[in-house]
Each structure stands twice: as structure tokens, then as C-alpha cells.
């Protein structure tokens, strides 16, 4: 189920700008992603493909790595820009799990077209229901 709220303009601009730097000579499918952290900072990434195909990295993973390297640990908003502008670029399964590590169940993920208009907005929990996360692991000192 989608939501009607529209994505933050600065976050959209960051995702579209990162997308222009995508390295996608094999798929020719460029993607840009931007996350806002709980301090209001924006971190962006693009997909970076590799001649050894499986070594390619998704845009969302790059944005999250930038956030963590900058000291961020909590994602509050996400924009993903990719594709022809008609079909929403949905994060892959692996990136849903990566986003889940740093997001809340109701964190929005906006999939936008080339102009930054939302094609689809879903929450993290809608993208990855019944997910496994940090709380599923025993806390230190609770091992039996
Ligand atoms: N890709 C992303 O970077 N993010 C997505 O949400 C979907 C797919 C990349 C991976 C690969 O470089 C290319 O798009 C085609 O799959």
C-alpha cells in the first residue's frame, strides 16, 4: 500500500545528483539513493558496478555506508531514484535488510522518477515485513 506524502526536496536532489555519478557500464541501469539521518544530515550513494559482476554495490548500500562513516546510525527518510521513470525502483532484498538495520518500521522509502516525483512510497516494514533485526539477537550477557 502506498502513501500520499511527497518526498523531501533536498533528499530527492541528493539522490538524483548521486545517480548522475553511477558506475553502471554493464547493466546501464543507474540508481541514486539518499538517506536522511536523525541529525538531519543527508548521505547519498550510487550503484557502483564491477567487471567481476557480483562485486557490484547498490546505491542504497553506498548511501548507508556514507552515513555510518559520518557517524550516523538512524535513518529517518529514504529516496531511491532509478529506472525509466515509470516503474518504481524498489530496493533489492539485500538492501531492504541493510536499510532495516538503521531504520524504524515506519521509516518511509520513496521511489522517485527522474524529476523526483514519487512513483511509490512504502515503509520499511511494508518492504520487509516480519524482519530479522538487532533485537532478534541476544544481548551481551544474556547467553545461557
Ligand atoms: N540497483 C541499485 O543500486 N539499487 C536498487 O534499488 C536496485 C538495483 C543496481 C544494482 C545494479 O548495479 C543495477 O541496479 C541493476 O540491477
Amino acid at each position: 500500500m502506498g502513501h500520499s506524502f511527497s518526498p523531501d526536496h533536498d533528499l530527492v536532489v541528493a539522490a538524483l545528483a548521486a545517480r548522475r555519478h553511477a558506475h553502471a557500464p554493464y547493466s546501464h541501469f543507474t540508481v541514486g539513493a539518499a538517506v536522511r539521518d536523525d541529525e538531519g544530515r543527508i548521505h547519498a550513494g550510487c550503484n557502483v558496478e564491477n567487471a567481476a559482476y557480483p562485486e557490484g554495490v547498490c546505491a542504497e548500500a553506498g548511501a548507508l555506508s556514507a552515513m555510518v562513516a559520518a557517524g550516523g546510525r538512524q535513518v529517518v527518510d529514504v529516496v531511491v531514484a532509478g529506472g525509466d521513470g515509470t516503474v518504481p525502483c524498489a530496493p533489492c532484498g539485500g538492501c531492504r535488510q541493510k536499510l532495516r538495520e538503521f531504520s524504524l518500521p515506519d521509516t518511509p522509502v520513496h521511489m522517485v522518477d527522474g524529476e523526483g516525483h514519487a512513483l511509490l512510497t512504502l515503509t520499511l516494514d511494508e518492504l520487509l515485513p516480519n524482519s530479522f533485526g538487532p533485537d532478534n539477537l541476544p544481548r551481551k550477557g544474556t547467553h545461557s
Side-chain angles (χ1 to χ4, degrees):
M1 187 184 64
H3 301 274
S4 59
F5 48 88
S6 52
D8 176 83
H9 179 259
D10 291 346
L11 205 57
V12 164
V13 168
L16 293 177
R19 184 184 183 185
R20 289 198 296 275
H21 296 300
H23 178 67
Y26 309 109
S27 73
H28 302 289
F29 191 91
T30 61
V31 184
V35 300
R36 188 181 289 282
D37 69 25
D38 61 352
E39 294 177 23
R41 298 179 300 174
I42 289 173
H43 312 276
C46 58
N47 56 333
V48 182
E49 296 184 349
N50 193 284
Y53 294 173
E55 298 304 324
V57 178
C58 288
E60 297 89 330
L64 289 171
S65 289
M67 181 189 77
V68 172
R73 288 293 186 274
Q74 185 63 56
V75 171
V76 301
D77 203 6
V78 183
V79 167
V80 181
D84 65 2
T86 62
V87 178
C89 182
C92 78
C95 283
R96 294 176 194 207
Q97 185 67 35
K98 290 180 177 72
L99 287 164
R100 191 258 178 264
E101 182 78 10
F102 302 106
S103 302
L104 295 171
D106 65 350
T107 300
V109 178
H110 309 278
M111 294 151 248
V112 304
D113 65 17
E115 277 84 54
H117 302 126
L119 296 165
L120 180 63
T121 296
L122 297 171
T123 67
L124 198 281
D125 191 60
E126 288 169 330
L127 285 166
L128 193 68
N130 306 115
S131 64
F132 186 91
D135 291 345
N136 290 99
L137 293 173
R139 273 184 288 256
K140 228 189 271 181
T142 63
H143 295 278
S144 53

